[in-house]
Amino acid sequence: MQVKVCDLEGKVVGLLFGANWYPPCRVFTQVLVGIYEDLKSRFPQFEIVYVSSDEDLDAFSSFYGNMPWLAIPFSDLETKKWLTRKYEVEGIPCLILLQPEDGKDEGTVRDGVELVYRYGAEAYPFCNERLEQLRKEDKVKRENQTLVNLLSNQHRDYVLSHTHSGLKQVPVASLVGKTIALYFSAEWCVPCAKFTPKLISVYEKIKQELAEKGEEDFEVVLVSSDRDRASFESYYSSMPWLALPFGDSETKNLVRHFNVQGIPWLVIIGPDGKTITVHGRSLINLYQENAYPFTNAKVEELEKQLEEEAKDLPALVYHEGHRHDLNLVSDGNGGGPFICCVCDEQGSSWAYQCLQCGYEVHPKCVRTVERQNSVLITN
């Protein structure tokens, strides 16, 4: 049915830019539906309007059929283009939040996707005053952060561990003083299925090295996003570390506290209970077990090692399958963060890059053989 635009006057309105063909849009829409229904039951003056980038009417109808809010008609291309230009939308999903009677756009919030993932319904009415209040609360929480108040609550002061007879409770207090990795993951997540075996290998190597020194200063805790207990138990059974109980109330609090926007996500907590980094996954991909204990000093040391190793790398290689020369680049001369086209994992600093098409690989992901003025590499 049709709803008059004037009926939206006086409401807080979210403009959702998205498309059915892009998986992050489908994931975010599922999250937003729950928050929308919660807010609408308490605040009727809230509304969302879908601005579609779907490829055809059937795709739009299918995707919009799962949405409980309003939409710009699929055929109204001019309005959709105008809104995209006006709010400078450069990627999807994108959620622009408009305040009532805000003709000058001073109260327009453009990072609605991040706010929904971080704060959920608590961000309402999405005005600058409310967001500033939430940020101040976050700052206080970070300053007062300890491992105990992160992982326990008034109903539970333990995490789970494997035993031969089943799961047992491990007091959170026994983990204080250790470096703890919080692993946000789920069985249904395809990237998690690839990263988890790598993390298990790194975990076991770090534990072995510490055991040889008579130390037990590192642990991983699974923070599961599995949708049912059977999936959680199946997934966790493959892991050698600890876990929060399935469906624990602290899971949502941790997701918000660390602004987790996708999985797998690895947060490193230091022995003092403070956050070392939320980019543990990248450090594992780049440096494997050598990344431990994940501190800034350790990362700087590893980066210096890479700089030294790069001095011995050929400046130009030829990729037999890619059929183009690849140039050695770094952050300072055309390089930067990238996804390796061989192992599909993140890289930074040094890489071999095709200047014609952007193909990039880790130096460690190639094997070299002699070839006249350059080096031939094969996967």
Side-chain angles (χ1 to χ4, degrees):
M1 71 180 208
Q2 296 181 0
V3 176
K4 293 183 179 180
V5 174
C6 62
D7 291 344
L8 298 178
E9 291 181 3
K11 294 187 176 184
V12 176
V13 176
L15 299 178
L16 174 62
F17 296 81
N20 75 304
W21 48 262
Y22 192 45
C25 291
R26 297 197 295 269
V27 173
F28 178 68
T29 298
Q30 290 178 345
V31 173
L32 189 58
V33 166
I35 292 169
Y36 173 84
E37 292 176 342
D38 176 24
L39 289 175
K40 285 291 284 187
S41 68
R42 296 182 288 138
F43 307 103
Q45 65 272 29
F46 175 60
E47 193 52 80
I48 292 176
V49 178
Y50 177 46
V51 185
S52 162
S53 294
D54 294 305
E55 61 269 32
D56 55 47
L57 181 58
D58 288 341
F60 165 79
S61 300
S62 175
F63 195 34
Y64 180 54
N66 298 315
M67 301 177 185
W69 46 72
L70 310 179
I72 301 293
F74 178 77
S75 60
D76 191 352
L77 295 177
E78 289 304 314
T79 298
K80 292 190 288 185
K81 288 180 180 178
W82 182 81
L83 289 170
T84 300
R85 287 194 301 268
K86 176 176 174 59
Y87 295 108
E88 300 176 341
V89 176
E90 297 181 348
I92 55 175
C94 176
L95 182 64
I96 306 293
L97 292 150
L98 311 177
Q99 296 300 315
E101 312 300 333
D102 184 23
K104 298 181 180 178
D105 289 343
E106 293 178 355
T108 299
V109 173
R110 299 174 183 272
D111 55 348
V113 172
E114 178 181 349
L115 293 174
V116 165
Y117 274 128
R118 186 170 182 82
Y119 300 113
E122 291 186 42
Y124 187 83
F126 305 101
C127 59
N128 291 323
E129 293 80 4
R130 175 56 178 159
L131 301 180
E132 182 61 27
Q133 179 185 2
L134 289 169
R135 291 180 183 120
K136 288 180 179 179
E137 292 174 1
D138 282 350
K139 182 179 179 182
V140 171
K141 288 180 180 179
R142 286 194 298 270
E143 291 173 349
N144 298 326
Q145 176 181 305
T146 67
L147 189 66
V148 171
N149 64 32
L150 279 176
L151 296 184
S152 58
N153 54 40
Q154 59 181 342
H155 305 294
R156 178 188 51 74
D157 61 357
Y158 61 87
V159 291
L160 300 177
S161 175
H162 293 292
T163 67
H164 294 298
S165 57
L167 300 178
K168 75 170 185 177
Q169 298 179 3
V170 175
V172 172
S174 68
L175 305 178
V176 172
K178 297 183 178 183
T179 297
I180 303 296
L182 301 180
Y183 183 37
F184 296 82
S185 186
E187 185 179 50
W188 52 261
C189 169
V190 175
C192 295
K194 185 170 185 178
F195 181 70
T196 296
K198 179 181 292 187
L199 183 59
I200 290 174
S201 174
V202 168
Y203 170 83
E204 292 176 340
K205 289 176 182 177
I206 293 174
K207 295 288 280 187
Q208 182 177 349
E209 291 177 6
L210 291 174
E212 291 172 356
K213 300 176 184 177
E215 301 174 359
E216 295 183 1
D217 296 335
F218 177 62
E219 196 51 77
V220 174
V221 178
L222 172 67
V223 184
S224 166
S225 298
D226 285 304
R227 294 164 179 152
D228 56 71
R229 183 176 297 278
S231 297
F232 166 75
E233 292 176 352
S234 172
Y235 191 41
Y236 181 47
S237 67
S238 67
M239 301 175 180
W241 46 66
L242 309 176
L244 284 184
F246 170 74
D248 193 88
S249 61
E250 287 305 306
T251 297
K252 289 184 178 180
N253 294 334
L254 290 170
V255 168
R256 168 180 163 177
H257 185 72
F258 294 111
N259 195 23
V260 176
Q261 297 185 25
I263 56 175
W265 191 279
L266 192 69
V267 175
I268 309 297
I269 307 298
D272 61 355
K274 306 300 182 186
T275 305
I276 294 178
T277 180
V278 297
H279 302 297
R281 178 190 176 192
S282 296
L283 296 180
I284 292 292
N285 285 332
L286 288 170
Y287 306 116
Q288 294 80 48
E289 65 274 10
N290 298 322
Y292 180 83
F294 309 97
T295 58
N296 288 335
K298 183 63 176 179
V299 173
E300 289 174 4
E301 175 188 329
L302 293 168
E303 288 175 345
K304 289 179 180 178
Q305 289 179 9
L306 284 179
E307 292 289 329
E308 290 299 315
E309 293 170 1
K311 293 178 181 179
D312 297 324
L313 294 173
L316 186 70
V317 298
Y318 178 82
H319 191 285
E320 187 178 37
H322 187 62
R323 304 295 183 186
H324 288 154
D325 284 328
L326 304 181
N327 293 266
L328 184 65
V329 297
S330 66
D331 288 339
N333 84 6
F338 66 96
I339 301 297
C340 177
C341 294
V342 172
C343 69
D344 292 328
E345 293 293 355
Q346 185 175 348
S348 65
S349 187
W350 295 94
Y352 280 113
Q353 181 187 81
C354 175
L355 301 182
Q356 293 177 268
C357 58
Y359 184 94
E360 290 181 293
V361 294
H362 293 125
K364 67 181 181 181
C365 286
V366 301
R367 292 184 290 110
T368 64
V369 294
E370 295 296 331
R371 174 187 178 269
Q372 295 182 353
N373 297 327
S374 62
V375 174
L376 174 68
I377 66 174
T378 57
N379 294 339

